[in-house]
Amino acid sequence: MRNKVESSLVAEVREKQYNNPVLVQLKEGIHKHKTTAFSPGMEHNTLRYQRRLCVPNVDGLQERIMVEAHTSRYSMHPGSTKMYHYVKEIYWWNDMKRGVADFVAKCSNCQQVKAEHQRPGGLAQSIEIPMWK
């Protein structure tokens, strides 16, 4: 069973698409057959990229999606790769992979756990290699 990031944020993304000039222009391009990568969604005339909901970068919407995906009780602070795969099942925005990686890198909780699991640093010690006769 796969964990999905679905919430009331989906409805907010749909609403914000109507207020974003870039996404409105892409929607018009679809209707004029000028773009093929994007498509209109079946419901609410939402803009989709490869069946994923396009998220405008307004009102911290992308950040809120990442917060929800990263801190939900079902995912419990996944690493950047796993979180990216969760989020990309539903959402799309420009440079999403880098945004997710940066978000996880800034998570203080994840950094503390990571530090606990890393080996302590120290000086390298040379190991004597036996000679065969």
Side-chain angles (χ1 to χ4, degrees):
M1 184 171 142
R2 295 182 96 162
N3 185 5
K4 287 194 174 186
V5 181
E6 292 187 44
S7 71
S8 61
L9 289 172
V10 171
E12 190 173 348
V13 168
R14 289 179 181 136
E15 176 188 322
K16 301 286 183 190
Q17 281 187 354
Y18 292 104
N19 301 329
N20 185 282
V22 174
L23 297 183
V24 168
Q25 189 175 13
L26 282 169
K27 283 182 186 181
E28 290 171 2
I30 291 168
H31 295 298
K32 295 176 183 176
H33 305 290
K34 291 184 178 180
T35 182
T36 57
F38 294 88
S39 63
M42 297 285 239
E43 69 288 333
H44 309 292
N45 194 27
T46 57
L47 183 65
R48 295 193 174 268
Y49 176 77
Q50 297 177 349
R51 298 190 325 207
R52 297 180 283 161
L53 194 57
C54 295
V55 180
N57 191 15
V58 294
D59 299 332
L61 196 52
Q62 294 173 359
E63 178 92 8
R64 292 194 341 247
I65 289 169
M66 289 187 286
V67 167
E68 183 174 296
H70 193 65
T71 59
S72 85
R73 62 180 166 162
Y74 301 111
S75 62
M76 297 183 290
H77 292 269
S80 61
T81 302
K82 185 177 275 189
M83 183 174 144
Y84 171 70
H85 287 290
Y86 288 161
V87 173
K88 85 171 197 171
E89 286 182 8
I90 298 171
Y91 302 108
W92 176 87
W93 61 82
N94 277 334
D95 217 11
M96 184 167 76
K97 192 170 190 174
R98 181 181 308 213
V100 168
D102 291 345
F103 179 86
V104 172
K106 292 176 186 173
C107 176
S108 60
N109 200 3
C110 291
Q111 296 311 309
Q112 289 172 350
V113 170
K114 184 178 179 183
E116 290 173 9
H117 292 292
Q118 288 180 337
R119 293 183 181 148
L123 298 174
Q125 297 176 355
S126 61
I127 299 172
E128 200 171 309
I129 301 173
M131 298 287 280
W132 296 97
K133 292 183 180 184

